[in-house]
Amino acid sequence: MTKSKTIICRCEDVTLEEIEAVIKKGYTSMEEIKRITRCGMGQCQGRTCRSLLLAELAKATNTPPSEIKVTTYRPPVKNVKMSVILGGMEDEENS
Amino acid sequence: MKKTAEAVIIGGGISGLSIAYNLASRGMRDVVVLEKNYLFSGSTGRCGAGVRQQWGTEMNCALGKATCEIFENLNEMLDFEDDIEFKQGGYLMMAVTEKEVELFKKNVELQHKMGIPSVMLTPQEALDIVPELNIEGILACAFCNKDGHANPFKTMQAYAEAAKRHGAQIYTYTEATGIDVEQGRVKGVETNRGYISTEKVVIAAGAWSRHVGKLAGCDVPVRPERHQILVTEPVNPILEPMLMSFAGNIYLQQEPGGEFIMGYGPAPHETFNLSSTWDFVETMCKKATHYLPYLKNIRIVRQWAGLYEMSPDAQPILGRAEEVEGIYLATGFSGHGFMFGPITGQLMAEYIMGLPTTLPIDKLDVGRFKRGELISEPSVV
Ligand SMILES: Cc1cc2nc3c(=O)[nH]c(=O)nc-3n(C[C@H](O)[C@H](O)[C@H](O)COP(=O)(O)OP(=O)(O)OC[C@H]3O[C@@H](n4cnc5c(N)ncnc54)[C@H](O)[C@@H]3O)c2cc1C
Ligand code: FES
């Protein structure tokens, strides 16, 4: 019964099987899939998984990737500690 | 797409989906939901998803209690194979002025009459619930351990899938562009994908309800108000309840996954603008780290904005439109439409199908604004 597990989203631990299952249920937009599976909502904010999800979605729905609407990039683009925002001065990279 | 329907619901947020499920599961055939965008695009997909029974009017207490009881059983009721993640960690309401202390005492008294198990706590007692809370400036707290929050995406998904199983159709990327009215009765809905004839239309279009009402010549007094919100990286669970202060204008909670979600109500201004601002982040961090200093070391990963659908008295509008026969309204939740979603669906379905409603909704009709019978709820952010 050990089906191979392909991870699409490392931050949120979302597998290819889960993505395929929601597509099969009829959720075929990246915005919907992101919200149901949390794929792309993790710490890296989809930097790693967005393109993988796009490719899977294109394959499953038989749509060229260029025709699929990608999810909105939400600010802040970089993770920021609250202390940095309150201090206003520190270098984000070092915090 | 269908050419005729028994009822067309405009708006695929929690309200529209819950109404669709409740109509279809009560046996109404050919229920159609129109969503102009994708399923989670409205306010429901952007909300804090808090659910509370601690209200200051009898009606809101009754609605809050009833909706909470539905949330407790929602996975089973909707036969949902996943989990809506309803977590009852309570709401800790912090009073920072003497006036608020008096208000909370009065509210708790009313809540007890309504069977809601809320309590007043001293700041010291609040520390038992949130040991890291900075109680400086807090005079007293009110707490109800039945309050909590759920996952808004999963809750919508659960309703959408249950509605479909009962035969409802949900059309995404389908916008209602016109409502056909003849001799004061609704005849059908025009969409960007074709025409559906129907004798019943439900306007559940959230902050866009006024525009949709206009399509039928109905006045739906709802205006959009932008609210921002942010989420942090996940950390170990340390905060059980939702923290809330009316005077301090803040709400803050930790999700089951470990992320903190927080927001506050900005100065009201009418807008459909959904952009996020840096100002918000700065003020939010100040407010949040004041109450929970340990948040300083936690990173923000995402911020966004959504719309409250404000009615003139900040209370829901449920019932029928006055101008056109066959048009029903379920809107104006004024920032509390997620929690009221389950009970809204039940009451509206009963009302539309001519059944006795589980709770009276006549006071929530749109006519109250003309009659000058506005409802005054003291307990809102
Ligand atoms: C930041 C924030 C935090 C919040 N926190 C909470 C909270 O903690 N607890 C709580 O209970 N509530 C909260 N709310 C409020 C809650 O999100 C809303 O009250 C609720 O989601 C309203 O649901 P709805 O289904 O009525 O509207 P929506 O979810 O907005 O759905 C309406 C839908 O109608 C669609 N639509 C509009 N016009 C048309 C058309 N012409 N044709 C087809 N479709 C159309 C829209 O695209 C939209 O998807 C919060 C809101 C915000 C913005
Ligand atoms: S890998 Fe998906 S959010 Fe980071």
Side-chain angles (χ1 to χ4, degrees):
Chain A
M1 273 294 293
T2 44
K3 209 176 162 192
S4 70
K5 251 177 89 174
T6 315
I7 302 282
I8 295 279
C9 176
R10 282 188 280 143
C11 296
E12 293 286 335
D13 211 8
V14 184
T15 65
L16 176 59
E17 285 75 27
E18 285 173 72
I19 300 286
E20 287 171 344
V22 298
I23 294 175
K24 220 189 247 152
K25 276 191 171 167
Y27 300 101
T28 51
S29 74
M30 280 186 77
E31 297 282 8
E32 287 171 347
I33 295 173
K34 165 178 159 188
R35 286 162 179 79
I36 289 179
T37 64
R38 300 193 58 82
C39 179
M41 279 195 178
Q43 194 125 344
C44 84
Q45 289 295 291
R47 214 155 313 197
T48 322
C49 59
R50 188 183 275 110
S51 53
L52 294 174
L53 174 59
L54 181 67
E56 279 315 316
L57 193 55
K59 205 167 73 187
T61 58
N62 252 324
T63 318
S66 56
E67 278 174 29
I68 292 178
K69 202 170 166 282
V70 294
T71 43
T72 325
Y73 285 82
R74 303 259 190 234
V77 229
K78 228 176 263 165
N79 293 352
V80 193
K81 267 192 194 173
M82 289 208 187
S83 57
V84 173
I85 287 163
L86 293 172
M89 303 280 290
E90 286 167 73
D91 179 9
E92 284 172 18
E93 300 295 339
N94 298 332
S95 57
Chain B
M1 210 170 77
K2 280 189 184 269
K3 297 256 178 300
T4 62
E6 205 166 330
V8 173
I9 299 163
I10 303 176
I14 185 78
S15 307
L17 296 173
S18 170
I19 295 168
Y21 161 77
N22 277 281
L23 285 173
S25 67
R26 278 169 181 72
M28 186 182 276
R29 287 200 277 166
D30 296 327
V31 175
V32 166
V33 178
L34 303 178
E35 169 50 56
K36 69 173 175 182
N37 214 321
Y38 60 93
L39 212 48
F40 309 100
S41 61
S43 301
T44 312
R46 299 166 181 272
C47 79
V51 177
R52 65 170 153 124
Q53 310 192 11
Q54 293 189 70
W55 287 98
T57 65
E58 205 167 296
M59 186 179 54
N60 281 334
C61 285
L63 289 171
K65 186 162 183 281
T67 210
C68 218
E69 285 164 4
I70 303 177
F71 271 110
E72 287 172 359
N73 300 302
L74 202 56
N75 284 326
E76 295 77 41
M77 187 180 106
L78 299 179
D79 232 339
F80 190 42
E81 54 191 33
D82 202 338
D83 181 8
I84 62 154
E85 295 165 14
F86 185 46
K87 172 182 140 189
Q88 288 168 294
Y91 263 48
L92 187 69
M93 311 264 217
M94 305 173 287
V96 296
T97 65
E98 283 301 338
K99 236 176 103 189
E100 269 189 314
V101 178
E102 285 319 303
L103 172 67
F104 284 12
K105 282 187 185 156
K106 248 177 59 195
N107 286 354
V108 166
E109 208 173 291
L110 169 73
Q111 287 153 12
H112 285 179
K113 254 198 278 173
M114 304 294 295
I116 295 166
S118 51
V119 287
M120 287 298 290
L121 300 176
T122 64
Q124 254 64 38
E125 289 168 324
L127 285 177
D128 292 340
I129 302 172
V130 184
E132 300 84 359
L133 184 66
N134 171 16
I135 55 173
E136 191 194 315
I138 299 177
L139 302 176
C141 293
F143 181 71
C144 173
N145 64 7
K146 288 283 185 186
D147 298 346
H149 54 83
N151 178 323
F153 310 120
K154 302 267 175 165
T155 307
M156 286 180 73
Q157 188 193 354
Y159 269 112
E161 286 171 9
K164 283 196 217 162
R165 274 199 309 275
H166 283 92
Q169 302 286 325
I170 300 170
Y171 299 128
T172 53
Y173 300 103
T174 309
E175 178 171 1
T177 53
I179 298 175
D180 189 14
V181 177
E182 269 173 40
Q183 293 169 342
R185 294 187 129 271
V186 66
K187 286 288 170 209
V189 178
E190 191 65 65
T191 81
N192 57 332
R193 295 178 53 208
Y195 182 85
I196 306 175
S197 61
T198 183
E199 291 185 346
K200 291 186 171 72
V201 169
V202 185
I203 299 180
W208 300 265
S209 296
R210 167 168 258 158
H211 290 272
V212 176
K214 273 191 193 142
L215 299 176
C218 296
D219 182 29
V220 184
V222 169
R223 64 180 174 81
E225 184 179 285
R226 183 180 67 155
H227 283 242
Q228 301 191 62
I229 185 164
L230 65 79
V231 62
T232 70
E233 61 184 336
V235 294
N236 286 338
I238 24 186
L239 178 67
E240 263 291 300
M242 165 88 90
L243 294 185
M244 190 166 221
S245 165
F246 299 128
N249 188 9
I250 180 177
Y251 63 89
L252 193 172
Q253 79 198 39
Q254 190 176 21
E255 302 279 286
E259 307 90 353
F260 286 88
I261 285 208
M262 57 194 82
Y264 66 89
H269 50 301
E270 185 152 340
T271 174
F272 281 107
N273 175 0
L274 280 178
S275 60
S276 316
T277 65
W278 184 252
D279 270 19
F280 168 76
V281 176
E282 231 175 68
T283 309
M284 190 71 248
C285 289
K286 260 188 220 138
K287 284 174 185 274
T289 54
H290 167 79
Y291 288 108
L292 292 179
Y294 65 67
L295 288 175
K296 279 202 201 80
N297 295 316
I298 295 179
R299 291 162 192 275
I300 299 169
V301 297
R302 189 164 69 238
Q303 70 174 118
W304 66 93
L307 300 172
Y308 277 22
E309 55 305 281
M310 301 304 295
S311 78
D313 60 2
Q315 297 297 303
I317 303 173
L318 301 181
R320 55 179 83 232
E322 296 197 312
E323 299 89 342
V324 178
E325 183 97 17
I327 292 196
Y328 298 86
L329 308 175
T331 182
F333 301 100
S334 308
H336 305 99
F338 176 74
M339 65 179 88
F340 287 145
I343 190 69
T344 294
Q346 182 178 331
L347 295 171
M348 286 305 293
E350 290 166 345
Y351 184 72
I352 292 166
M353 296 178 86
L355 305 166
T357 54
T358 310
L359 293 169
I361 61 166
D362 47 311
K363 288 205 168 73
L364 292 172
D365 73 330
V366 68
R368 72 178 183 269
F369 304 114
K370 279 199 202 119
R371 297 194 306 270
E373 293 168 6
L374 275 63
I375 302 161
S376 155
E377 165 61 66
S379 300
V380 283
V381 179

